[in-house]
Amino acid sequence: MDNNTLFSQESMLYITFGLVLVVALLVLIVAVYVLQLLKAFIRKDMTEEQLAAEQMEQGWFARLWTKWNSFRPMEEEEELLLDHDYDGIKELDNHLPPWWKWLFYLTIVYSVIYLMIFHVFKSSPLQEEEYELEMTAAAKMKQVEQVEVVYDFDENTVTLTTDQTELADGQKFFATQCGVCHKADGGGLAGPNLTDKYWRNGGDITDVYKVIKNGVPGTAMISWENRLNPIRIRNVASYVLSLQGTNPPNALGPDGDLYEPGN
């Protein structure tokens, strides 16, 4: 069983579980609502003494919930009715729950504080300014890291890497930058085919490294020396050589001189 099949089965399992959970929540909400309606109808037929006794028997959470929502009993609905009448549908003059109003007041206070901090006193940067600061700090950190890193090879002593992590790094860069001219599979498009044994500038790791680093004058192959560090250049060059013999479909024909390793 491949990874795609496993991923599809896991996705279906999660989706099914999510749907069951949503349905269960909806059933629970409907049940609570129906229960509240039944209690309301029962309370409507109760006397004042029975209502007082029921209120005394309520737990502290029920009393707190009633207080937070400022509920009015159904027997007071006639006092709350407005003059509006739409095809027999009447409107109650119920106020918003206190917790909702206090939440609204809190958002107003928060917006005033936000306005003073970010727009009046400007004591904190906005999103765009924060992004620019982070990018500047990241660029400085990258420069420091590049200065501190000691490379034990150059374009004449570089060796082929077979580390899968480093090859994956080279593949990622190749697919996004080099694939425009050479295609993602290396079969060649505007640039030559990189999967056969024919090379314009040599097919050794040092030759490919130099081409990536220095570019090729008079062609679309630019120099990447100022954009990539030596390790990234080596990873890309090693990945390019790993494409040898893959024979992708619709690849371009031979271009350059035949290169055999060791000759």
Side-chain angles (χ1 to χ4, degrees):
M1 185 177 296
D2 56 11
N3 293 332
N4 292 332
T5 304
L6 289 175
F7 178 77
S8 177
Q9 291 180 351
E10 291 181 358
S11 300
M12 290 300 300
L13 179 63
Y14 292 142
I15 292 173
T16 304
F17 178 78
L19 291 175
V20 171
L21 181 61
V22 170
V23 172
L25 289 175
L26 290 176
V27 171
L28 179 61
I29 292 173
V30 171
V32 172
Y33 181 73
V34 172
L35 181 62
Q36 293 295 327
L37 286 177
L38 291 175
K39 291 178 63 177
F41 286 124
I42 293 174
R43 285 169 54 87
K44 190 174 182 179
D45 297 331
M46 295 173 64
T47 62
E48 295 184 0
E49 292 77 8
Q50 291 174 330
L51 290 173
E54 182 189 13
Q55 188 174 5
M56 293 297 296
E57 294 176 358
Q58 286 182 343
W60 68 270
F61 181 77
R63 293 194 300 270
L64 183 62
W65 181 252
T66 302
K67 182 178 180 181
W68 280 356
N69 290 275
S70 188
F71 287 142
R72 301 285 295 273
M74 291 189 64
E75 54 269 14
E76 297 181 8
E77 283 189 354
E78 294 183 359
E79 302 176 4
L80 302 175
L81 280 175
L82 297 174
D83 296 333
H84 305 159
D85 191 336
Y86 303 97
D87 295 333
I89 301 175
K90 298 183 179 180
E91 182 180 358
L92 294 176
D93 187 20
N94 273 327
H95 297 288
L96 290 172
W99 64 265
W100 195 100
K101 290 188 290 186
W102 281 108
L103 183 62
F104 178 68
Y105 300 150
L106 182 62
T107 59
I108 296 176
V109 173
Y110 177 83
S111 63
V112 173
I113 296 175
Y114 182 92
L115 179 66
M116 299 299 290
I117 292 177
F118 291 96
H119 295 280
V120 178
F121 298 111
K122 297 182 179 180
S123 57
S124 295
L126 293 172
Q127 291 182 348
E128 294 82 1
E129 298 172 345
E130 188 174 359
Y131 172 78
E132 294 296 335
L133 292 174
E134 291 291 339
M135 292 299 294
T136 302
K140 291 182 179 178
M141 184 180 299
K142 182 178 180 180
Q143 291 178 355
V144 172
E145 291 178 353
Q146 289 179 348
V147 171
E148 293 179 351
V149 172
V150 178
Y151 303 104
D152 57 355
F153 62 88
D154 57 21
E155 59 188 30
N156 297 313
T157 60
V158 62
T159 57
L160 189 73
T161 179
T162 57
D163 183 86
Q164 294 301 316
T165 302
E166 294 174 343
L167 289 176
D169 175 66
Q171 179 184 13
K172 181 179 179 181
F173 180 83
F174 183 89
T176 57
Q177 299 295 333
C178 310
V180 176
C181 293
H182 298 282
K183 295 178 65 173
D185 56 13
L189 191 62
N193 180 7
L194 302 177
T195 65
D196 57 20
K197 296 182 179 181
Y198 291 85
W199 298 85
R200 296 179 183 177
N201 302 282
D204 187 66
I205 180 63
T206 57
D207 299 322
V208 180
Y209 185 97
K210 291 177 182 178
V211 169
I212 298 174
K213 176 183 177 182
N214 304 319
V216 180
T219 69
M221 184 63 197
I222 64 173
S223 170
W224 292 92
E225 181 178 10
N226 296 327
R227 307 184 190 185
L228 303 179
N229 60 43
I231 293 178
R232 175 64 61 79
I233 297 177
R234 180 200 61 189
N235 294 347
V236 177
S238 298
Y239 173 73
V240 168
L241 292 177
S242 72
L243 297 174
Q244 293 282 301
T246 54
N247 298 321
N250 302 319
L252 296 181
D255 186 358
D257 300 325
L258 177 64
Y259 175 83
E260 292 289 352
N263 294 335

